[in-house]
Short mmCIF file of all heavy atoms in Angstrom, two decimals:
data_model
loop_
_atom_site.label_atom_id
_atom_site.label_comp_id
_atom_site.label_asym_id
_atom_site.label_seq_id
_atom_site.Cartn_x
_atom_site.Cartn_y
_atom_site.Cartn_z
N ALA A 350 -9.16 -0.01 -20.98
CA ALA A 350 -9.14 -0.49 -22.36
C ALA A 350 -7.83 -1.23 -22.67
O ALA A 350 -7.82 -2.23 -23.38
CB ALA A 350 -9.28 0.70 -23.31
N GLY A 462 -38.18 -16.81 -2.93
CA GLY A 462 -38.89 -16.24 -1.80
C GLY A 462 -38.02 -15.70 -0.68
O GLY A 462 -38.44 -15.67 0.50
N SER A 492 -13.19 19.26 14.32
CA SER A 492 -12.05 20.03 13.87
C SER A 492 -12.43 21.49 13.68
O SER A 492 -11.68 22.42 14.10
CB SER A 492 -11.52 19.44 12.57
OG SER A 492 -10.51 20.26 12.00
N TYR A 518 -2.12 51.13 29.94
CA TYR A 518 -1.34 50.12 30.67
C TYR A 518 -0.19 49.57 29.87
O TYR A 518 0.82 49.15 30.46
CB TYR A 518 -2.28 48.97 31.09
CG TYR A 518 -3.31 49.39 32.13
CD1 TYR A 518 -4.63 49.58 31.79
CD2 TYR A 518 -2.92 49.59 33.48
CE1 TYR A 518 -5.56 49.95 32.72
CE2 TYR A 518 -3.87 49.99 34.41
CZ TYR A 518 -5.18 50.15 34.07
OH TYR A 518 -6.11 50.54 34.97
N THR A 621 -11.53 -18.38 -44.26
CA THR A 621 -12.47 -18.54 -43.16
C THR A 621 -12.12 -19.79 -42.40
O THR A 621 -12.13 -20.90 -42.96
CB THR A 621 -13.92 -18.59 -43.65
OG1 THR A 621 -14.24 -17.35 -44.32
CG2 THR A 621 -14.90 -18.77 -42.52
N GLY A 626 -14.53 -27.37 -30.54
CA GLY A 626 -13.93 -28.11 -29.46
C GLY A 626 -14.83 -28.04 -28.25
O GLY A 626 -15.73 -27.21 -28.18
N PRO A 627 -14.63 -28.94 -27.27
CA PRO A 627 -15.47 -28.94 -26.07
C PRO A 627 -15.21 -27.70 -25.23
O PRO A 627 -14.25 -26.97 -25.44
CB PRO A 627 -15.02 -30.23 -25.33
CG PRO A 627 -13.63 -30.45 -25.83
CD PRO A 627 -13.58 -29.99 -27.25
N GLY A 641 -5.40 -9.43 -28.83
CA GLY A 641 -4.37 -8.74 -28.09
C GLY A 641 -4.67 -8.58 -26.62
O GLY A 641 -3.94 -7.83 -25.91
N LEU A 643 -4.58 -11.03 -24.47
CA LEU A 643 -3.80 -12.05 -23.77
C LEU A 643 -2.47 -12.18 -24.49
O LEU A 643 -2.46 -12.27 -25.73
CB LEU A 643 -4.54 -13.40 -23.76
CG LEU A 643 -3.99 -14.51 -22.89
CD1 LEU A 643 -4.03 -14.11 -21.40
CD2 LEU A 643 -4.79 -15.79 -23.12
N GLU A 832 -26.71 -26.56 -28.49
CA GLU A 832 -26.86 -25.68 -27.33
C GLU A 832 -25.60 -24.82 -27.15
O GLU A 832 -24.51 -25.28 -27.36
CB GLU A 832 -27.05 -26.52 -26.06
CG GLU A 832 -28.28 -27.37 -26.09
CD GLU A 832 -29.55 -26.54 -26.18
OE1 GLU A 832 -29.56 -25.44 -25.62
OE2 GLU A 832 -30.51 -26.98 -26.82
#
Side-chain angles (χ1 to χ4, degrees):
S492 172
Y518 291 105
T621 298
L643 189 64
E832 298 298 327

